[in-house]
């Protein structure tokens, strides 16, 4: 097997640290494994995305270690139309990246530009 790059070693180290920090917190270990499995298919050449996910994982690790975290969950947007609070109608759910989660790099959620550009 070939030698691991520095970034690969950092990601594996983060994985182990997250698993250790998640022991005893409901849902944490399963969530860590699922997140890493989900992104394991990223091509090695997608370094920007890998580095983004690495930084995000570091922040999650800090939160887990802070002592304030008692469990690890996920904020998930419901699928399908979302009703307006005043009942004026439904708007379309934001696009997803195919695996049930929105990609932070797709620009979804930003205000739409009107057709006239103003």
């Amino acid at each position: 097997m070939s030698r691991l790059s520095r970034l690969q070693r950092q990601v594996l180290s983060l994985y182990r640290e997250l698993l250790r920090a998640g022991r005893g917190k409901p849902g944490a270990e399963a969530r860590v494994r699922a997140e890493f499995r989900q992104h394991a298919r990223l091509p090695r050449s997608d370094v920007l995305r890998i580095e983004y996910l690495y930084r995000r994982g570091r922040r999650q690790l800090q939160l887990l270690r802070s002592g304030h975290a008692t469990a690890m969950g996920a904020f998930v947007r419901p699928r399908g139309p979302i009703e307006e609070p005043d009942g004026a109608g439904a708007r379309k759910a934001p696009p997803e990246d195919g695996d049930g989660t929105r990609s932070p790099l797709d620009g979804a959620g930003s205000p739409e530009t009107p057709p006239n550009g103003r």
Side-chain angles (χ1 to χ4, degrees), residues 1-106:
M1 187 173 168
S2 63
R3 291 182 56 173
L4 298 177
S5 70
R6 182 172 150 229
L7 183 57
Q8 287 172 319
R9 287 191 311 265
Q10 288 175 323
V11 168
L12 288 173
S13 173
L14 174 64
Y15 178 71
R16 287 189 297 268
E17 290 178 64
L18 280 165
L19 286 176
R20 283 187 204 115
R23 284 190 190 132
K25 294 184 168 74
E29 287 185 54
R31 171 84 192 274
V32 168
R33 285 190 176 98
E35 286 270 333
F36 273 81
R37 250 187 229 117
Q38 174 186 357
H39 298 293
R41 290 177 247 129
L42 282 173
R44 287 183 177 189
S45 59
D46 198 354
V47 176
L48 286 177
R49 174 106 172 143
I50 294 168
E51 287 176 344
Y52 164 79
L53 291 167
Y54 175 76
R55 288 190 306 274
R56 190 177 113 194
R58 277 278 159 210
R59 286 191 303 270
Q60 288 178 346
L61 178 61
Q62 287 175 347
L63 288 173
L64 270 175
R65 286 181 173 168
S66 72
H68 298 291
T70 57
M72 192 169 178
F75 294 104
V76 180
R77 284 204 168 174
R79 291 181 183 254
I82 301 170
E83 291 189 28
E84 294 291 327
D86 62 358
R91 64 183 170 101
K92 209 173 163 187
E96 297 178 352
D97 64 2
D99 59 359
T101 58
R102 281 183 33 206
S103 170
L105 301 177
D106 65 3

